[in-house]
Amino acid sequence: MSGPILERLFVDADGQQLLLEKGSWGQCVVMVRKAGMRAADEPCEDAAGLVAWDGTTCCMLAADGVGGCRGGDVAARLTITSVAEQLRTVDCDGLSIQSAVLAGIEASNEQLLARHGGAATTILAAVVDDGELRTYHAGDSDLLVVGQRGKVKHQTISHSPVGYAVEAGVLDVRDGFEHEDRHFLSNCVGMEAMRVEVASAIRLQPRDTVVLASDGLWDNIQLDEVIEIVRKGPLQRAMEKLASRCQQSMLGENPDVAGKPDDLAILLYRKA
């Protein structure tokens, strides 16, 4: 058995962390940043991870501890670590990786349910295997696939009343972006009825960009601006622009957005 050749976990961010990794599996930029309003001793509630195998396979992870309840940071770290532990035991095989991702999420859900006081987190896993992308998620950490010309080729649906309303056409995208109940979740890790939504695989084309992020991104930058920033050019430059625009919104410096101060977890990916 040949396990992963690369594992990077961002589970204890106390400031900005930025990483660029490249391999035969592609290139990925990861950033986890604690919200500026948090005290120095206050934990970041977002976490991220990247696991890659020798070849064309990798798994990207993003988690956002649910705010408003204790232990959000613990839940995010636990879930990312649980999935990574399962992935360490499997070789470069699509079905084995899928089983490991699901087992890791289920294991963390059981631990969180048994934890005194409870805790919850979103989870988003994106596995790229031989050019095909498949997502696994619970919550409102979302994924976007964008072509070089700005075409949206795939987008996850937030597991929230507002997310479902936008998808059904009941709410306009702009209204959903500004809705006061946008943060309410109907599904996440740490809930009795937690479910993992497994999407059908899609074929990535050359120059497609994949964006995985917690709601610290999606609540602070309009979708069309995210698309324009990431659709072309170096990934690291795109990440720097996203972080800068999020910071402006969180500080109230963007007149077009009612910013939401929050932690950030963002991963940008392109095929090799």
Side-chain angles (χ1 to χ4, degrees), residues 220-231:
N220 283 290
I221 307 182
Q222 291 279 0
L223 180 63
D224 56 356
E225 185 174 3
V226 173
I227 292 169
E228 184 58 31
I229 290 172
V230 306
R231 68 183 180 87

Side-chain angles (χ1 to χ4, degrees), residues 33-170:
R33 188 180 70 189
K34 186 168 70 172
M37 84 290 189
R38 293 197 184 279
D41 60 348
E42 194 174 1
C44 177
E45 294 185 336
D46 284 9
L50 171 64
V51 180
W53 287 258
D54 188 14
T56 57
T57 304
C58 69
C59 177
M60 296 164 283
L61 302 160
D64 179 5
V66 175
C69 61
R70 297 175 60 185
D73 59 311
V74 174
R77 292 197 302 264
L78 173 65
T79 304
I80 292 288
T81 303
S82 178
V83 175
E85 287 175 348
Q86 293 289 331
L87 291 173
R88 288 174 200 149
T89 67
V90 301
D91 59 11
C92 188
D93 170 73
L95 288 177
S96 297
I97 293 171
Q98 174 168 296
S99 296
V101 170
L102 295 174
I105 296 173
E106 290 289 349
S108 61
N109 191 56
E110 291 176 4
Q111 292 182 62
L112 292 175
L113 288 173
R115 184 176 184 268
H116 179 69
T121 182
T122 70
I123 184 62
L124 171 61
V127 176
V128 179
D129 182 24
D130 196 24
E132 287 194 338
L133 170 76
R134 190 186 301 273
T135 60
Y136 309 79
H137 86 288
D140 64 355
S141 292
D142 286 327
L143 174 142
L144 183 72
V145 179
V146 182
Q148 188 179 30
R149 296 184 179 181
K151 179 181 178 181
V152 175
K153 300 185 175 183
H154 182 70
Q155 187 174 7
T156 55
I157 301 170
S158 293
H159 293 161
S160 67
V162 170
Y164 293 136
V166 170
E167 176 63 17
V170 177

